[in-house]
Amino acid sequence: MHRTLRRVAIGLALAAHAAFAFAQSLIVDTAGLEQALARGAVVWDARGPADYAAGHVPGAVNFGAAGDLFRDANREDPPSAAVAAQLFGTAGIDIANREVVVYGGKGDPIAYFAARMLEYYGGRHGRVYHGGIDDWRAAGRPLSTQATKLPPLALELKAERVGTLWTHEVIDRVKAGGAQILDTRTEREFSGEDIRAIRGGHIAGAVNIPYEANWVDPDTPSKLASRRVQNKDGMSLKPADQLRSLYARLDPSKETVVYCQSGVRASETAVVLRELGFTDVKVYEPSWLGYAGVLSAPAGNEVFVNVGALNGQIASMQARLRQLEAALQALQPKPAQ
């Protein structure tokens, strides 16, 4: 009798632990999304309105492309808490009290960025359906073209920049030495060959692991473009043991600063690290776009943009375009006399 009760108690404890682990997980699969829907979670479709209208998870809400709503057109930083309160409030998303699951396309870092915006303004970090609309469709689940509208809320968000670092804080850490900094951009961006800011290179002392390395096949986007593959299966996340091996050089107990160009790609890797047990993960929000603009900030593989040469290239391209337009015009049939 006592052994039976003990086995039951152990079984209940294990079940409770499993439920707790699920509740803590920030990445869900198709079954996890369905369970969240059954619990009454808000499902946020972070894609653009046209994609949402063409077909979405039934019950999902959409209030515009998250990358446009939460990124300044020039600095690419998130808006103020007041603006965010208006956005979430109008959409009916109570970020402080509701469970939110976000999705986009499979592996799309914008979904991770959107989920992070909940935490950024003081709410719970949103969960991410990594497989997105692609896995939902592949699993044969129904799609809806009818928009879901939640009752609007009067939100007051006082927190801002939660879970992030800013340029002066990162520079201080770099100068102090010993910081654990992870660059999730491409190898060419890291090396300074691909310059996307006022200068190329990387934060001094950073380790480069592109965010696509989290996927089963990091080359999937290029293979899709060249039609070597027909789906996004390769953008599934690697198994946990392979991800642990990928980040084996990093210390999970140490503060880990993750960055990319503007904080989007870094958002995906930041969640992966948290899932792997990293205890103090922060996203450097302005990322390389902000760091590169401070010319005194220590950098590796530093390369400056040659503005004169760039202007010359632009002028040459414009001249070539005019030639092509003239040639195209000459090929047009002349009107009958």
Side-chain angles (χ1 to χ4, degrees):
M1 179 67 176
H2 292 296
R3 290 180 180 178
T4 300
L5 290 174
R6 185 170 181 272
R7 284 197 295 268
V8 170
I10 291 173
L12 290 173
L14 290 174
H17 177 75
F20 176 77
F22 171 76
Q24 295 298 103
S25 178
L26 292 177
I27 302 174
V28 303
D29 57 11
T30 301
L33 178 61
E34 290 177 319
Q35 292 164 9
L37 282 165
R39 290 194 300 270
V42 174
V43 177
W44 175 11
D45 185 318
R47 301 174 298 157
D51 289 330
Y52 176 77
H56 57 266
V57 174
V61 299
N62 175 273
F63 52 107
D68 296 333
L69 295 172
F70 291 94
R71 299 171 73 211
D72 177 87
N74 293 316
R75 293 180 293 108
E76 300 190 31
D77 292 335
S80 68
V83 172
Q86 182 67 27
L87 290 170
F88 285 124
T90 301
I93 302 178
D94 184 353
I95 69 171
N97 299 301
R98 293 291 298 274
E99 175 189 0
V100 182
V101 182
V102 189
Y103 76 88
K106 185 163 187 169
D108 189 350
I110 281 291
Y112 285 85
F113 171 77
R116 186 169 64 81
M117 286 298 97
L118 302 171
E119 182 180 68
Y120 183 92
Y121 295 106
R124 281 192 300 172
H125 194 297
R127 296 190 176 94
V128 180
Y129 177 32
H130 181 89
I133 197 67
D134 300 282
D135 273 11
W136 184 265
R137 187 182 289 113
R141 301 301 192 267
L143 293 173
S144 173
T145 55
Q146 182 175 354
T148 295
K149 298 293 183 183
L150 300 179
L153 304 166
L155 288 183
E156 183 179 358
L157 303 179
K158 297 181 179 179
E160 198 172 321
R161 301 186 176 185
V162 177
T164 68
L165 293 177
W166 290 72
T167 301
H168 68 282
E169 296 170 308
V170 173
I171 292 174
D172 287 345
R173 283 163 169 74
V174 171
K175 289 183 176 179
Q180 183 165 266
I181 303 176
L182 179 60
D183 186 321
T184 65
R185 300 175 301 157
T186 66
E187 293 178 359
R188 295 187 71 252
E189 288 174 272
F190 184 81
S191 69
E193 297 173 78
D194 183 357
I195 305 175
R196 304 187 185 187
I198 195 170
R199 57 177 173 155
H202 59 266
I203 296 175
V207 172
N208 180 220
I209 303 177
Y211 89 97
E212 296 97 334
N214 295 313
W215 301 342
V216 171
D217 182 2
D219 295 326
T220 298
S222 63
K223 289 180 178 178
L224 281 169
S226 61
R227 299 184 179 180
R228 284 178 287 165
V229 297
Q230 304 302 316
N231 57 52
K232 296 182 178 179
D233 288 351
M235 294 165 74
S236 299
L237 289 175
K238 289 174 178 172
D241 59 338
Q242 293 182 25
L243 290 171
R244 289 191 187 94
S245 177
L246 179 66
Y247 296 107
R249 74 184 86 173
L250 302 179
D251 183 352
S253 65
K254 187 176 181 180
E255 179 189 68
T256 306
V257 181
V258 190
Y259 80 97
C260 54
Q261 172 72 5
S262 62
V264 174
R265 289 174 284 178
S267 299
E268 185 160 325
T269 290
V271 170
V272 169
L273 293 177
R274 289 170 70 161
E275 291 288 89
L276 292 175
F278 280 68
T279 57
D280 187 7
V281 181
K282 295 184 177 73
V283 172
Y284 169 29
E285 189 64 50
S287 282
W288 183 250
L289 192 61
Y291 195 90
V294 181
L295 301 185
S296 61
N301 293 101
E302 184 180 54
V303 181
F304 284 90
V305 174
N306 186 327
V307 178
L310 180 61
N311 286 337
Q313 292 171 358
I314 293 173
S316 176
M317 290 174 64
Q318 288 174 332
R320 179 59 180 157
L321 180 60
R322 287 193 293 270
Q323 291 174 354
L324 291 172
E325 288 174 340
L328 182 61
Q329 185 65 31
L331 292 173
Q332 297 298 318
K334 298 185 182 303
Q337 299 295 327

